[in-house]
Amino acid sequence: MKPLTRLAGRWQTIPRAASLIAGLLLLIGIAVIYQNEQGYRAQKADETRVQAGILAASVTAALDFGDAAAAQEAADALRVNPQLLAAGIYDGTGQLFAGYQRAREPLPRRMPAASAAGERSGNLLQAIVPVERGGERIGSVYLSAQVDPLSRRVARYGLVALLVVMASLVVVVLGIAHTALRGANRELSDSNAELQRQIVERANAEEALRQAQKMQALGQLTGGIAHDFNNLLTVIQGSADILKRPALPEDKRLRFADAIVQTAARAAALTGQLLAFARRQPLRPKVVDLNERVDAMMDMLERTLGARFVVRTDLGPGLCPVEVDPTQLEVAVLNVIVNARDAMPEGGGIIIRTREAVPEEIEGDGAGVALSVTDAGMGIDAETLGRVFEPFFTTKNVGKGTGLGLSQVYGFAKQSGGDVRIDSELGVGTTVTMLLPCTGKPLEKGPETTGPANAQRRGRILLVEDNEEVGAFAESMLAELGHAVVRARNADEALASIDSGLPFDVMFSDVVMPGISGIELARLVRERRPDLPIVLTTGYSEQIARTGAEDLPVVLKPYRLDALAKALDDAMAAAARG
Amino acid sequence: MRSPLALLLAAGVLVAAMATGAGVAAQPLETAVKAAFLPKFAPYAAWPSASIPPAGTPYVVCVVGHDPFGQLLDEAAAGQRRDSSPITVQRLSRIDGRSGCHIAYLGGSPAQPVAAALTALAGSPTLTVTDARVGRDRGMVHFELKSGRVRFHIDDAAAARANLALSSKLLSLALSVKQRGRS
Ligand SMILES: Nc1ncnc2c1ncn2[C@@H]1O[C@H](COP(=O)(O)OP(=O)(O)O)[C@@H](O)[C@H]1O
Ligand SMILES: [Mg+2]
């Protein structure tokens, strides 16, 4: 139905000129054939008349002398011509004298009416010629002849007709092709416009989908994180509650305090993941020795994993140092270890291996080290493998997985100029390998000392913190470290304190505050007291991520007691030096 | 032997009866046909120019000696023409080259038997017509009854000797044609 209507549409659009030419050609063809046919018929009629004349001449005497046999003989002579259907010789009175007839063409008994003479009717040509002797009519000869049968004539004109029709067809087809081309051009530009519109529409739809996915991911994330956080908070809360009990034995007190420390560390790792994902965590690369780092983590890892897991290390000797953010490295290793744990619900062995990277593993020239974690878990199928690095991609239940682990690992490795590879076999196990480039810089000695949280220096500290709980907590922490603390709730209060001439040894300020931010405050304070050391603290700060902390030291929240003590110590020491 | 004889006899009687019966009935018709034929020969013959009658003057058909036709011939002649000339009938007891006849039916008579008439006309441009009923002597056209129809033999050689040309159309109707010499 559809192509039919389309064809009909095409027909209407054949240019008038093409149809005109085709029509003209057909007309000329018909005219030529008609003329030919007329000529042919006229010639046939002449021929028939001549034949009749010859017969008339040859039967004159026979008619005159009444010799019917002779007349018959003369008439029969014409029988050899199959086109002559009937021949009759009539005497002066119009009576049939002699003649013959073929089937279907009866010979009139009497002389046919004179009006029929030379007339043609359909396929029949008739001729009536007088038989004369000395100018006197003594009888008539009647002949009826058949023109060539239709088939013969069709065959004769067939070629002409075919040529004409072909020519007309060619013209029409050319016409159609021409219009089709024009139509196609128009359609093309139409569909181009349509395509453009669809592209815009699609972009819009994709944008909407992205938004929806974001929302969904956010929902999943919030759910997962809330769950994790609740678990962690339960541990912290419960431990704190127990610690509050009077007369708690020393070993128990230590165990629960430890539990709080461990759990908080995990919570910190969790928010670290989030921030890494949001790319808002300032990277603080350090030159470290991988083996040292792994060793340092072992305690924490074993505790995280529990008794059902056995972690084995295989650390290659003499590896080059790498320049990475140690916290991110720890989080990455933790993420991979947690995945390994989840892949082996019944427990099992996990191997952490370090080695020199082979050249093919490292992009560009230069050497690298590989840190891999191998489990004997369920493995990853090919389809899943293609997506594991996607943020929020997880095959685990809500609360179990956030889909941010490998995303963090990937982001960390890439940001550190390295790469991640995963080799997995279903049912056999998985090896995740982080490849990190070697650095030429010398090793910085030692991470934060995990020694006793004792401040070497004591001083007067201006604490700027808008949050009441954190402020109170920080105040008590600083007091615990032996410092004298003046608390300000915002930048204005801080500036007022400084302007009042109180002698501070260091200002410890939050970055994100309503009104003037910590960074701006630092600038303002420097104008007044260029020698006053300043330490900033933040959970995250867009400003620090964007512009850095203007060379000021930053303590990241949540901070540990020793980290805080060290930062303040360093700041005061630097100020004392110079 | 008796039956063939009887058969022969019976056949003889039958033929005689048929002959007489047919003769009585056929005779007038046969004569009428011959009378009609005679003037019709004129258009199929060509005379030397000296013998062609001037326009308006008639061609002459002569009956020499015995005349079987009577009025029949006159009527037939009246209905015939050759070109613009009428055809008239003359009856003669004798004939020769000077008689002025274009066509002559030789009926024979004691005064001039057919053979004598033919001799008298030898070389003169007269179309001689003889009749098997009259005798065996043959002119250029010789009537004979064949299958109950009046037919004729033609002696084209004799016509040639008389400087006459006979139409091939006429020759085609003849029972036999004595061809003129190719000279
Ligand atoms: N060692 C492993 N064995 C099997 N599957 C793993 C392993 N590590 C990662 N995966 C798959 O990759 C997915 C993404 O991991 P990840 O980004 O850490 O998110 P999450 O662990 O929260 O699901 C996991 O859900 C899991 O299907
Ligand atoms: Mg994970």
Side-chain angles (χ1 to χ4, degrees), chain A residues 21-52:
Chain A
I21 291 170
L24 218 71
L25 268 172
L26 278 171
L27 237 101
I28 289 171
I30 290 169
V32 164
I33 289 176
Y34 179 76
Q35 214 199 350
N36 233 302
E37 177 73 5
Q38 290 306 94
Y40 166 76
R41 275 171 164 275
Q43 185 196 335
K44 271 282 161 201
D46 278 352
E47 259 176 47
T48 311
R49 246 194 308 281
V50 168
Q51 295 253 33

PDB file of all heavy atoms in Angstrom, chain A residues 21-52:
ATOM      1  N   ILE A  21       6.757  15.138 -23.726  1.00  0.00           N
ATOM      2  CA  ILE A  21       7.610  14.510 -24.740  1.00  0.00           C
ATOM      3  C   ILE A  21       7.181  13.075 -24.953  1.00  0.00           C
ATOM      4  O   ILE A  21       7.031  12.616 -26.089  1.00  0.00           O
ATOM      5  CB  ILE A  21       9.087  14.574 -24.294  1.00  0.00           C
ATOM      6  CG1 ILE A  21       9.561  16.016 -24.340  1.00  0.00           C
ATOM      7  CG2 ILE A  21       9.952  13.716 -25.206  1.00  0.00           C
ATOM      8  CD1 ILE A  21      10.905  16.235 -23.714  1.00  0.00           C
ATOM      9  N   ALA A  22       6.946  12.362 -23.837  1.00  0.00           N
ATOM     10  CA  ALA A  22       6.520  10.961 -23.932  1.00  0.00           C
ATOM     11  C   ALA A  22       5.216  10.869 -24.716  1.00  0.00           C
ATOM     12  O   ALA A  22       5.074  10.047 -25.618  1.00  0.00           O
ATOM     13  CB  ALA A  22       6.354  10.366 -22.541  1.00  0.00           C
ATOM     14  N   GLY A  23       4.276  11.751 -24.390  1.00  0.00           N
ATOM     15  CA  GLY A  23       2.983  11.762 -25.076  1.00  0.00           C
ATOM     16  C   GLY A  23       3.158  12.019 -26.558  1.00  0.00           C
ATOM     17  O   GLY A  23       2.569  11.350 -27.410  1.00  0.00           O
ATOM     18  N   LEU A  24       4.016  13.005 -26.865  1.00  0.00           N
ATOM     19  CA  LEU A  24       4.268  13.367 -28.255  1.00  0.00           C
ATOM     20  C   LEU A  24       4.841  12.183 -29.012  1.00  0.00           C
ATOM     21  O   LEU A  24       4.406  11.859 -30.125  1.00  0.00           O
ATOM     22  CB  LEU A  24       5.262  14.535 -28.279  1.00  0.00           C
ATOM     23  CG  LEU A  24       4.969  15.564 -29.364  1.00  0.00           C
ATOM     24  CD1 LEU A  24       3.717  16.337 -29.013  1.00  0.00           C
ATOM     25  CD2 LEU A  24       6.159  16.482 -29.551  1.00  0.00           C
ATOM     26  N   LEU A  25       5.819  11.524 -28.361  1.00  0.00           N
ATOM     27  CA  LEU A  25       6.441  10.356 -28.985  1.00  0.00           C
ATOM     28  C   LEU A  25       5.399   9.300 -29.287  1.00  0.00           C
ATOM     29  O   LEU A  25       5.353   8.751 -30.397  1.00  0.00           O
ATOM     30  CB  LEU A  25       7.490   9.765 -28.030  1.00  0.00           C
ATOM     31  CG  LEU A  25       8.910  10.304 -28.233  1.00  0.00           C
ATOM     32  CD1 LEU A  25       9.813   9.809 -27.128  1.00  0.00           C
ATOM     33  CD2 LEU A  25       9.443   9.852 -29.580  1.00  0.00           C
ATOM     34  N   LEU A  26       4.540   9.039 -28.290  1.00  0.00           N
ATOM     35  CA  LEU A  26       3.494   8.031 -28.472  1.00  0.00           C
ATOM     36  C   LEU A  26       2.589   8.427 -29.622  1.00  0.00           C
ATOM     37  O   LEU A  26       2.244   7.611 -30.474  1.00  0.00           O
ATOM     38  CB  LEU A  26       2.687   7.886 -27.180  1.00  0.00           C
ATOM     39  CG  LEU A  26       3.334   6.992 -26.134  1.00  0.00           C
ATOM     40  CD1 LEU A  26       2.588   7.069 -24.823  1.00  0.00           C
ATOM     41  CD2 LEU A  26       3.354   5.554 -26.633  1.00  0.00           C
ATOM     42  N   LEU A  27       2.225   9.715 -29.675  1.00  0.00           N
ATOM     43  CA  LEU A  27       1.325  10.206 -30.718  1.00  0.00           C
ATOM     44  C   LEU A  27       1.953  10.009 -32.091  1.00  0.00           C
ATOM     45  O   LEU A  27       1.309   9.523 -33.019  1.00  0.00           O
ATOM     46  CB  LEU A  27       1.036  11.691 -30.476  1.00  0.00           C
ATOM     47  CG  LEU A  27      -0.464  11.965 -30.334  1.00  0.00           C
ATOM     48  CD1 LEU A  27      -0.805  12.107 -28.877  1.00  0.00           C
ATOM     49  CD2 LEU A  27      -0.854  13.162 -31.141  1.00  0.00           C
ATOM     50  N   ILE A  28       3.251  10.402 -32.190  1.00  0.00           N
ATOM     51  CA  ILE A  28       3.942  10.263 -33.468  1.00  0.00           C
ATOM     52  C   ILE A  28       3.966   8.799 -33.867  1.00  0.00           C
ATOM     53  O   ILE A  28       3.682   8.438 -35.016  1.00  0.00           O
ATOM     54  CB  ILE A  28       5.374  10.822 -33.360  1.00  0.00           C
ATOM     55  CG1 ILE A  28       5.320  12.337 -33.242  1.00  0.00           C
ATOM     56  CG2 ILE A  28       6.203  10.418 -34.586  1.00  0.00           C
ATOM     57  CD1 ILE A  28       6.647  12.977 -32.912  1.00  0.00           C
ATOM     58  N   GLY A  29       4.275   7.940 -32.892  1.00  0.00           N
ATOM     59  CA  GLY A  29       4.311   6.505 -33.157  1.00  0.00           C
ATOM     60  C   GLY A  29       2.973   6.019 -33.696  1.00  0.00           C
ATOM     61  O   GLY A  29       2.907   5.348 -34.730  1.00  0.00           O
ATOM     62  N   ILE A  30       1.909   6.428 -33.015  1.00  0.00           N
ATOM     63  CA  ILE A  30       0.573   6.005 -33.435  1.00  0.00           C
ATOM     64  C   ILE A  30       0.278   6.533 -34.824  1.00  0.00           C
ATOM     65  O   ILE A  30      -0.236   5.821 -35.699  1.00  0.00           O
ATOM     66  CB  ILE A  30      -0.488   6.497 -32.418  1.00  0.00           C
ATOM     67  CG1 ILE A  30      -0.328   5.721 -31.110  1.00  0.00           C
ATOM     68  CG2 ILE A  30      -1.883   6.326 -32.980  1.00  0.00           C
ATOM     69  CD1 ILE A  30      -1.130   6.279 -29.962  1.00  0.00           C
ATOM     70  N   ALA A  31       0.646   7.794 -35.069  1.00  0.00           N
ATOM     71  CA  ALA A  31       0.385   8.403 -36.376  1.00  0.00           C
ATOM     72  C   ALA A  31       1.122   7.632 -37.460  1.00  0.00           C
ATOM     73  O   ALA A  31       0.541   7.307 -38.508  1.00  0.00           O
ATOM     74  CB  ALA A  31       0.827   9.868 -36.368  1.00  0.00           C
ATOM     75  N   VAL A  32       2.396   7.325 -37.192  1.00  0.00           N
ATOM     76  CA  VAL A  32       3.188   6.594 -38.192  1.00  0.00           C
ATOM     77  C   VAL A  32       2.534   5.253 -38.484  1.00  0.00           C
ATOM     78  O   VAL A  32       2.337   4.874 -39.650  1.00  0.00           O
ATOM     79  CB  VAL A  32       4.630   6.400 -37.675  1.00  0.00           C
ATOM     80  CG1 VAL A  32       5.344   5.333 -38.499  1.00  0.00           C
ATOM     81  CG2 VAL A  32       5.394   7.712 -37.758  1.00  0.00           C
ATOM     82  N   ILE A  33       2.153   4.556 -37.418  1.00  0.00           N
ATOM     83  CA  ILE A  33       1.528   3.248 -37.596  1.00  0.00           C
ATOM     84  C   ILE A  33       0.206   3.389 -38.342  1.00  0.00           C
ATOM     85  O   ILE A  33      -0.080   2.639 -39.287  1.00  0.00           O
ATOM     86  CB  ILE A  33       1.300   2.569 -36.218  1.00  0.00           C
ATOM     87  CG1 ILE A  33       2.655   2.154 -35.636  1.00  0.00           C
ATOM     88  CG2 ILE A  33       0.388   1.365 -36.346  1.00  0.00           C
ATOM     89  CD1 ILE A  33       2.577   1.563 -34.249  1.00  0.00           C
ATOM     90  N   TYR A  34      -0.559   4.421 -37.981  1.00  0.00           N
ATOM     91  CA  TYR A  34      -1.866   4.615 -38.625  1.00  0.00           C
ATOM     92  C   TYR A  34      -1.677   4.867 -40.105  1.00  0.00           C
ATOM     93  O   TYR A  34      -2.323   4.240 -40.946  1.00  0.00           O
ATOM     94  CB  TYR A  34      -2.580   5.797 -37.969  1.00  0.00           C
ATOM     95  CG  TYR A  34      -3.934   6.088 -38.570  1.00  0.00           C
ATOM     96  CD1 TYR A  34      -5.022   5.271 -38.259  1.00  0.00           C
ATOM     97  CD2 TYR A  34      -4.112   7.142 -39.442  1.00  0.00           C
ATOM     98  CE1 TYR A  34      -6.258   5.514 -38.812  1.00  0.00           C
ATOM     99  CE2 TYR A  34      -5.339   7.401 -40.008  1.00  0.00           C
ATOM    100  CZ  TYR A  34      -6.418   6.587 -39.685  1.00  0.00           C
ATOM    101  OH  TYR A  34      -7.630   6.825 -40.235  1.00  0.00           O
ATOM    102  N   GLN A  35      -0.708   5.762 -40.434  1.00  0.00           N
ATOM    103  CA  GLN A  35      -0.479   6.103 -41.824  1.00  0.00           C
ATOM    104  C   GLN A  35      -0.038   4.870 -42.581  1.00  0.00           C
ATOM    105  O   GLN A  35      -0.507   4.598 -43.684  1.00  0.00           O
ATOM    106  CB  GLN A  35       0.587   7.190 -41.892  1.00  0.00           C
ATOM    107  CG  GLN A  35       0.339   8.149 -43.035  1.00  0.00           C
ATOM    108  CD  GLN A  35       1.604   8.915 -43.374  1.00  0.00           C
ATOM    109  OE1 GLN A  35       2.572   8.844 -42.636  1.00  0.00           O
ATOM    110  NE2 GLN A  35       1.563   9.628 -44.476  1.00  0.00           N
ATOM    111  N   ASN A  36       0.878   4.141 -41.980  1.00  0.00           N
ATOM    112  CA  ASN A  36       1.365   2.916 -42.577  1.00  0.00           C
ATOM    113  C   ASN A  36       0.220   1.972 -42.874  1.00  0.00           C
ATOM    114  O   ASN A  36       0.115   1.401 -43.959  1.00  0.00           O
ATOM    115  CB  ASN A  36       2.314   2.245 -41.584  1.00  0.00           C
ATOM    116  CG  ASN A  36       3.645   1.946 -42.222  1.00  0.00           C
ATOM    117  OD1 ASN A  36       3.690   1.243 -43.216  1.00  0.00           O
ATOM    118  ND2 ASN A  36       4.702   2.497 -41.670  1.00  0.00           N
ATOM    119  N   GLU A  37      -0.645   1.836 -41.877  1.00  0.00           N
ATOM    120  CA  GLU A  37      -1.782   0.925 -41.989  1.00  0.00           C
ATOM    121  C   GLU A  37      -2.695   1.396 -43.111  1.00  0.00           C
ATOM    122  O   GLU A  37      -3.136   0.596 -43.932  1.00  0.00           O
ATOM    123  CB  GLU A  37      -2.516   0.898 -40.637  1.00  0.00           C
ATOM    124  CG  GLU A  37      -3.772   0.058 -40.613  1.00  0.00           C
ATOM    125  CD  GLU A  37      -3.452  -1.423 -40.617  1.00  0.00           C
ATOM    126  OE1 GLU A  37      -2.265  -1.769 -40.542  1.00  0.00           O
ATOM    127  OE2 GLU A  37      -4.395  -2.225 -40.728  1.00  0.00           O
ATOM    128  N   GLN A  38      -2.932   2.723 -43.158  1.00  0.00           N
ATOM    129  CA  GLN A  38      -3.794   3.264 -44.204  1.00  0.00           C
ATOM    130  C   GLN A  38      -3.183   2.979 -45.570  1.00  0.00           C
ATOM    131  O   GLN A  38      -3.867   2.509 -46.481  1.00  0.00           O
ATOM    132  CB  GLN A  38      -3.972   4.781 -44.042  1.00  0.00           C
ATOM    133  CG  GLN A  38      -4.814   5.167 -42.851  1.00  0.00           C
ATOM    134  CD  GLN A  38      -6.177   4.479 -42.861  1.00  0.00           C
ATOM    135  OE1 GLN A  38      -6.353   3.429 -42.252  1.00  0.00           O
ATOM    136  NE2 GLN A  38      -7.121   5.056 -43.576  1.00  0.00           N
ATOM    137  N   GLY A  39      -1.892   3.248 -45.697  1.00  0.00           N
ATOM    138  CA  GLY A  39      -1.188   3.016 -46.958  1.00  0.00           C
ATOM    139  C   GLY A  39      -1.292   1.557 -47.360  1.00  0.00           C
ATOM    140  O   GLY A  39      -1.605   1.230 -48.506  1.00  0.00           O
ATOM    141  N   TYR A  40      -1.077   0.726 -46.355  1.00  0.00           N
ATOM    142  CA  TYR A  40      -1.103  -0.702 -46.611  1.00  0.00           C
ATOM    143  C   TYR A  40      -2.478  -1.119 -47.113  1.00  0.00           C
ATOM    144  O   TYR A  40      -2.613  -1.856 -48.095  1.00  0.00           O
ATOM    145  CB  TYR A  40      -0.736  -1.444 -45.327  1.00  0.00           C
ATOM    146  CG  TYR A  40      -1.037  -2.908 -45.359  1.00  0.00           C
ATOM    147  CD1 TYR A  40      -0.222  -3.791 -46.067  1.00  0.00           C
ATOM    148  CD2 TYR A  40      -2.143  -3.420 -44.682  1.00  0.00           C
ATOM    149  CE1 TYR A  40      -0.500  -5.122 -46.100  1.00  0.00           C
ATOM    150  CE2 TYR A  40      -2.424  -4.762 -44.717  1.00  0.00           C
ATOM    151  CZ  TYR A  40      -1.608  -5.620 -45.420  1.00  0.00           C
ATOM    152  OH  TYR A  40      -1.892  -6.941 -45.452  1.00  0.00           O
ATOM    153  N   ARG A  41      -3.501  -0.575 -46.438  1.00  0.00           N
ATOM    154  CA  ARG A  41      -4.872  -0.936 -46.834  1.00  0.00           C
ATOM    155  C   ARG A  41      -5.188  -0.413 -48.231  1.00  0.00           C
ATOM    156  O   ARG A  41      -5.789  -1.132 -49.046  1.00  0.00           O
ATOM    157  CB  ARG A  41      -5.872  -0.358 -45.827  1.00  0.00           C
ATOM    158  CG  ARG A  41      -6.068  -1.276 -44.635  1.00  0.00           C
ATOM    159  CD  ARG A  41      -6.869  -0.600 -43.566  1.00  0.00           C
ATOM    160  NE  ARG A  41      -7.360  -1.589 -42.606  1.00  0.00           N
ATOM    161  CZ  ARG A  41      -8.473  -2.301 -42.767  1.00  0.00           C
ATOM    162  NH1 ARG A  41      -9.220  -2.114 -43.844  1.00  0.00           N
ATOM    163  NH2 ARG A  41      -8.827  -3.190 -41.859  1.00  0.00           N
ATOM    164  N   ALA A  42      -4.764   0.821 -48.503  1.00  0.00           N
ATOM    165  CA  ALA A  42      -5.023   1.389 -49.820  1.00  0.00           C
ATOM    166  C   ALA A  42      -4.351   0.535 -50.891  1.00  0.00           C
ATOM    167  O   ALA A  42      -4.948   0.210 -51.925  1.00  0.00           O
ATOM    168  CB  ALA A  42      -4.490   2.821 -49.873  1.00  0.00           C
ATOM    169  N   GLN A  43      -3.107   0.150 -50.573  1.00  0.00           N
ATOM    170  CA  GLN A  43      -2.362  -0.660 -51.539  1.00  0.00           C
ATOM    171  C   GLN A  43      -3.064  -1.995 -51.756  1.00  0.00           C
ATOM    172  O   GLN A  43      -3.211  -2.462 -52.884  1.00  0.00           O
ATOM    173  CB  GLN A  43      -0.953  -0.870 -50.977  1.00  0.00           C
ATOM    174  CG  GLN A  43      -0.012  -1.602 -51.915  1.00  0.00           C
ATOM    175  CD  GLN A  43       1.198  -2.110 -51.154  1.00  0.00           C
ATOM    176  OE1 GLN A  43       1.556  -1.546 -50.108  1.00  0.00           O
ATOM    177  NE2 GLN A  43       1.816  -3.153 -51.648  1.00  0.00           N
ATOM    178  N   LYS A  44      -3.529  -2.559 -50.651  1.00  0.00           N
ATOM    179  CA  LYS A  44      -4.244  -3.845 -50.751  1.00  0.00           C
ATOM    180  C   LYS A  44      -5.505  -3.687 -51.583  1.00  0.00           C
ATOM    181  O   LYS A  44      -5.834  -4.545 -52.403  1.00  0.00           O
ATOM    182  CB  LYS A  44      -4.615  -4.344 -49.339  1.00  0.00           C
ATOM    183  CG  LYS A  44      -3.528  -5.189 -48.731  1.00  0.00           C
ATOM    184  CD  LYS A  44      -3.537  -6.589 -49.306  1.00  0.00           C
ATOM    185  CE  LYS A  44      -2.171  -7.212 -49.035  1.00  0.00           C
ATOM    186  NZ  LYS A  44      -1.865  -8.334 -49.918  1.00  0.00           N
ATOM    187  N   ALA A  45      -6.197  -2.562 -51.347  1.00  0.00           N
ATOM    188  CA  ALA A  45      -7.435  -2.321 -52.094  1.00  0.00           C
ATOM    189  C   ALA A  45      -7.133  -2.214 -53.587  1.00  0.00           C
ATOM    190  O   ALA A  45      -7.828  -2.803 -54.423  1.00  0.00           O
ATOM    191  CB  ALA A  45      -8.111  -1.049 -51.590  1.00  0.00           C
ATOM    192  N   ASP A  46      -6.027  -1.477 -53.893  1.00  0.00           N
ATOM    193  CA  ASP A  46      -5.620  -1.340 -55.299  1.00  0.00           C
ATOM    194  C   ASP A  46      -5.334  -2.702 -55.893  1.00  0.00           C
ATOM    195  O   ASP A  46      -5.799  -3.048 -56.984  1.00  0.00           O
ATOM    196  CB  ASP A  46      -4.362  -0.477 -55.387  1.00  0.00           C
ATOM    197  CG  ASP A  46      -4.716   0.998 -55.351  1.00  0.00           C
ATOM    198  OD1 ASP A  46      -5.936   1.303 -55.420  1.00  0.00           O
ATOM    199  OD2 ASP A  46      -3.788   1.811 -55.236  1.00  0.00           O
ATOM    200  N   GLU A  47      -4.571  -3.464 -55.112  1.00  0.00           N
ATOM    201  CA  GLU A  47      -4.192  -4.796 -55.581  1.00  0.00           C
ATOM    202  C   GLU A  47      -5.431  -5.618 -55.895  1.00  0.00           C
ATOM    203  O   GLU A  47      -5.522  -6.269 -56.942  1.00  0.00           O
ATOM    204  CB  GLU A  47      -3.402  -5.506 -54.480  1.00  0.00           C
ATOM    205  CG  GLU A  47      -1.907  -5.484 -54.695  1.00  0.00           C
ATOM    206  CD  GLU A  47      -1.185  -6.124 -53.522  1.00  0.00           C
ATOM    207  OE1 GLU A  47      -1.602  -7.217 -53.084  1.00  0.00           O
ATOM    208  OE2 GLU A  47      -0.244  -5.503 -53.041  1.00  0.00           O
ATOM    209  N   THR A  48      -6.384  -5.565 -54.974  1.00  0.00           N
ATOM    210  CA  THR A  48      -7.611  -6.339 -55.154  1.00  0.00           C
ATOM    211  C   THR A  48      -8.361  -5.873 -56.408  1.00  0.00           C
ATOM    212  O   THR A  48      -8.864  -6.682 -57.191  1.00  0.00           O
ATOM    213  CB  THR A  48      -8.506  -6.192 -53.918  1.00  0.00           C
ATOM    214  OG1 THR A  48      -7.718  -6.421 -52.769  1.00  0.00           O
ATOM    215  CG2 THR A  48      -9.651  -7.185 -53.945  1.00  0.00           C
ATOM    216  N   ARG A  49      -8.396  -4.544 -56.569  1.00  0.00           N
ATOM    217  CA  ARG A  49      -9.083  -4.018 -57.751  1.00  0.00           C
ATOM    218  C   ARG A  49      -8.395  -4.489 -59.032  1.00  0.00           C
ATOM    219  O   ARG A  49      -9.035  -4.875 -59.996  1.00  0.00           O
ATOM    220  CB  ARG A  49      -9.112  -2.479 -57.694  1.00  0.00           C
ATOM    221  CG  ARG A  49     -10.533  -1.936 -57.548  1.00  0.00           C
ATOM    222  CD  ARG A  49     -10.586  -0.453 -57.833  1.00  0.00           C
ATOM    223  NE  ARG A  49      -9.602   0.300 -57.064  1.00  0.00           N
ATOM    224  CZ  ARG A  49      -9.757   0.631 -55.793  1.00  0.00           C
ATOM    225  NH1 ARG A  49     -10.855   0.296 -55.150  1.00  0.00           N
ATOM    226  NH2 ARG A  49      -8.827   1.307 -55.164  1.00  0.00           N
ATOM    227  N   VAL A  50      -7.060  -4.450 -59.022  1.00  0.00           N
ATOM    228  CA  VAL A  50      -6.306  -4.876 -60.197  1.00  0.00           C
ATOM    229  C   VAL A  50      -6.582  -6.353 -60.488  1.00  0.00           C
ATOM    230  O   VAL A  50      -6.842  -6.748 -61.629  1.00  0.00           O
ATOM    231  CB  VAL A  50      -4.799  -4.628 -59.985  1.00  0.00           C
ATOM    232  CG1 VAL A  50      -3.977  -5.337 -61.056  1.00  0.00           C
ATOM    233  CG2 VAL A  50      -4.506  -3.139 -60.004  1.00  0.00           C
ATOM    234  N   GLN A  51      -6.566  -7.138 -59.421  1.00  0.00           N
ATOM    235  CA  GLN A  51      -6.853  -8.569 -59.585  1.00  0.00           C
ATOM    236  C   GLN A  51      -8.236  -8.752 -60.203  1.00  0.00           C
ATOM    237  O   GLN A  51      -8.415  -9.559 -61.114  1.00  0.00           O
ATOM    238  CB  GLN A  51      -6.843  -9.259 -58.206  1.00  0.00           C
ATOM    239  CG  GLN A  51      -5.492  -9.238 -57.531  1.00  0.00           C
ATOM    240  CD  GLN A  51      -4.835 -10.607 -57.544  1.00  0.00           C
ATOM    241  OE1 GLN A  51      -5.033 -11.354 -58.499  1.00  0.00           O
ATOM    242  NE2 GLN A  51      -4.069 -10.917 -56.529  1.00  0.00           N
ATOM    243  N   ALA A  52      -9.175  -7.978 -59.682  1.00  0.00           N
ATOM    244  CA  ALA A  52     -10.545  -8.084 -60.197  1.00  0.00           C
ATOM    245  C   ALA A  52     -10.579  -7.689 -61.668  1.00  0.00           C
ATOM    246  O   ALA A  52     -11.253  -8.325 -62.489  1.00  0.00           O
ATOM    247  CB  ALA A  52     -11.474  -7.197 -59.369  1.00  0.00           C
TER     248      ALA A  52
END
